[in-house]
Amino acid sequence: MRNLLKLIVFLFTFYGFSQTNPCGTILNDTFDEAGALPTEWTEYNTTGSATFASGKLKFEHSTDQPSAYRTFNAISNKVTLSFDVSASRSYASCQVNLISETGQYLATLDVGSKSASIQYATTILEGVPGGFTNGSPEITLQTNTFYAINANINFTTKTIDYYVDGVLMAADVPFLEPANNIAKVDIQSLFMYNDNGQFQFDNIYFLSVDENRLNLMSSVSVSETLLSAVSIGVNYGQYPQTAVATFQTVLNEVKTVLANCEATSAAVDQALADLQAAKVVFEATKKDDPVLEIYSEYDFSGDMHEIYCGFYNGTLAAYDNWAVSFTLDKGYMATFAEDVNGTGVSKVYVAADHDLRINLPAELQKKASFIRVSPWRDVHKKGLAGGGTDVAVALNNSWYYNWSNTGENLGEIEFVPNQWSGGSISKSVSLGERMDISHHMAFNEPDNDDQSNMTTDKAIEKYELLLASGLRLGSPANTDGAKGATWRNEFMEKAEAKGLRVDYIVVHYYKKTSPANFYNWLKAIHDKWQRPIWIKEFNYGAPWVSNKPVDIQASSDGLESYINMLDDTSFVERYSVFTWQPDNAERFTFFTVRRPIELNVSGIMYRDHVSPVAYTQEVYEQGVNLAVTSFEKSNIRLYPNPITGKELTINYAASSITNNVVVKIFNVYGKEVFKKTNTPKQIDVSSLSNGVYLVQMISGDKKINKKIIITNQ
């Protein structure tokens, strides 16, 4: 088993053998019955805190430490232990001890380790396991997420290989003590943050099978997991329906062989070969065509280069600083940036409703050193703020986030990363390399001392690093009071002055008021900053505000009035209700996220509400054709620059330029924000916010483009 580096992949997860009795099973606990522990299990340290519930073995942690063990006939040959485990808090500790018939410790795994990771013991200290060590890779524990853990026990070498979710975490780990068999599994819940939470176990198996059958079992589980997650269609990363059906047919035939415990070794080997060959053929059908075409000249002329979905930060080679125009297929998103780390002038283009044909803005023509291309999802407005992945499914959401950068899409439910505070180039690059996400949200309530707590200068410094992802990036999310508004305005002024791309404004809102007042608050933000808005956290009141709904029905009615308004507001792209609540009398203002999930009337209303598609196709300005510029730049001078007052002066030095000049000003997103005719010489720019702008002067077929910076606010 030492050589099976990638074999044990979700052996007994929800997609595999979780409720079956595969060949070679020595022990099989699937906890299908609810209630007290059966006679095979013995609880100690507590009474009634270790139970079977919802198909799981549950340890309810409090100030005491619930523990339970199970004994069985001693096993002394090669064997694999497999179990699934989850914790309701990441800062926790639950130890799984493997013990021999005579009381020696073979091994101990610690789920949580008080540091949000899964570790294994390396020594015995004063009679108990110690020296806990992270594996490689280190496994970070996410709350309310099941992990499939396998321990391959070899009594000949007295070593164990540990796998988590099919990934080898540690190999050839020596037994803690010189045990000759295993006869007991002892589970101890030692710590849970705030003495409140649960550990849950499921599908505890011991298997003793030939290596080729174990190999086949693993390959079947991998194939089932793959098929359960595929998207069927004709876009990037999708599979044709015919390919899915063909692969499923082969998988069904192989499972028939696997279910036959009398099948010969040759039959098992042949089934494995057939399945592996079918998997190779199937994965080759995954669509990956070039969806972006860049051109070396204006209006899709000159040379053309095809680009596949991917993350190109320094890998454009001969096509660095090359593109002038491009076409993008419907269903995809492309980001162009001036600098190789995604900073400088940058622009996101989304082809949601139709193919795009775009001439880049003047400041990106032959200057793009960074391109990211990824699929685009037409998700709906309604999302979820935290609450766990199972809650996202239960509430029928289209997207969710969890205040972190770690998460996966749940079928059609899109995951949106959220940088809580700080930020780094390496984290941003890792996110940008993911082709299954499109958006990113910056810091959580930096205006709040209890949250990410950042100055606007620090936030600007860190926000610039987030641009390295190339994702459609949202502003930091501020609280809904005056302090939050002040912080937001300072941040946006500084971001625009530096030319940093902010694709949408993110806000929080917990006031209990009328939909009209809520709308007016949102509209004032939109009108000031001219960006779409996401309401990242909101509800109709909250336990910490003074003005609360009078009862549960009032809470539901008020929330429904909010979301109906948000659905009808074109500049609101997305909203996500905040579901977490403390256990107190005011919980009716929220949905419960306790397990099992129980939705109050607000939760049922939110679950059944169908919101519209979130994104409205943007109509992009076409960049000017720099090639037709026949002015000499010395003919026209703009001053002062930067502009610290209210006026921009234009000095037309050439005598031939005396009339009929049209002056236009564009922001960094290519949007025209000012126009004046008849050769203006003084322009009032006091209405423009701080930032970088492109001034374009047109006289007949002659054009000049110059950059200005406004810092007068």
Side-chain angles (χ1 to χ4, degrees), residues 496 665 673-674 683-691 693 708 710-713:
E496 291 195 340
I665 300 179
V673 295
F674 179 91
I683 294 176
D684 184 352
V685 295
S686 60
S687 64
L688 300 181
S689 59
N690 290 350
Y693 295 86
I708 62 170
I710 297 177
T711 60
N712 62 358
Q713 301 297 320

Side-chain angles (χ1 to χ4, degrees), residues 630-698:
S630 59
F631 283 127
E632 292 295 331
K633 291 187 177 180
S634 60
N635 286 341
I636 296 180
R637 189 164 68 92
L638 306 183
Y639 61 88
N641 193 12
I643 302 168
T644 57
K646 294 183 178 181
E647 285 192 342
L648 168 67
T649 298
I650 306 176
N651 182 12
Y652 302 91
S655 59
S656 60
I657 309 173
T658 58
N659 51 44
N660 298 325
V661 175
V662 177
V663 176
K664 296 181 179 181
I665 300 179
F666 299 88
N667 64 19
V668 293
Y669 303 99
K671 181 179 180 180
E672 182 181 311
V673 295
F674 179 91
K675 180 180 179 180
K676 196 167 185 180
T677 61
N678 199 23
T679 320
K681 294 184 179 181
Q682 272 79 38
I683 294 176
D684 184 352
V685 295
S686 60
S687 64
L688 300 181
S689 59
N690 290 350
V692 179
Y693 295 86
L694 181 72
V695 179
Q696 182 183 105
M697 289 144 287
I698 307 168

Side-chain angles (χ1 to χ4, degrees), residues 438-512:
S438 303
H439 296 81
H440 193 194
M441 294 185 290
F443 324 117
N444 189 78
E445 295 189 359
D447 54 296
N448 191 336
D449 295 344
D450 295 333
Q451 300 299 307
S452 62
N453 189 23
M454 303 168 72
T455 65
T456 53
D457 287 336
K458 189 67 173 179
I460 288 291
E461 173 190 335
K462 293 299 184 180
Y463 184 89
E464 190 166 10
L465 301 179
L466 303 186
L467 290 169
S469 68
L471 296 167
R472 195 162 177 259
L473 185 58
S475 72
N478 297 109
T479 52
D480 52 22
K483 183 179 179 182
T486 299
W487 197 102
R488 178 190 309 110
N489 291 339
E490 289 181 0
F491 173 86
M492 289 300 297
E493 288 165 1
K494 292 174 181 178
E496 291 195 340
K498 288 198 68 173
L500 301 183
R501 172 170 53 83
V502 181
D503 294 305
Y504 50 95
I505 301 292
V506 185
V507 300
H508 291 173
Y509 196 83
Y510 287 104
K511 289 184 171 66
K512 183 181 80 69

Side-chain angles (χ1 to χ4, degrees), residues 557-574:
D557 292 344
L559 180 60
E560 187 171 20
S561 71
Y562 276 4
I563 64 177
N564 287 335
M565 178 273 292
L566 297 174
D567 284 346
D568 292 338
T569 302
S570 60
F571 58 77
V572 171
E573 269 194 10
R574 300 195 189 191

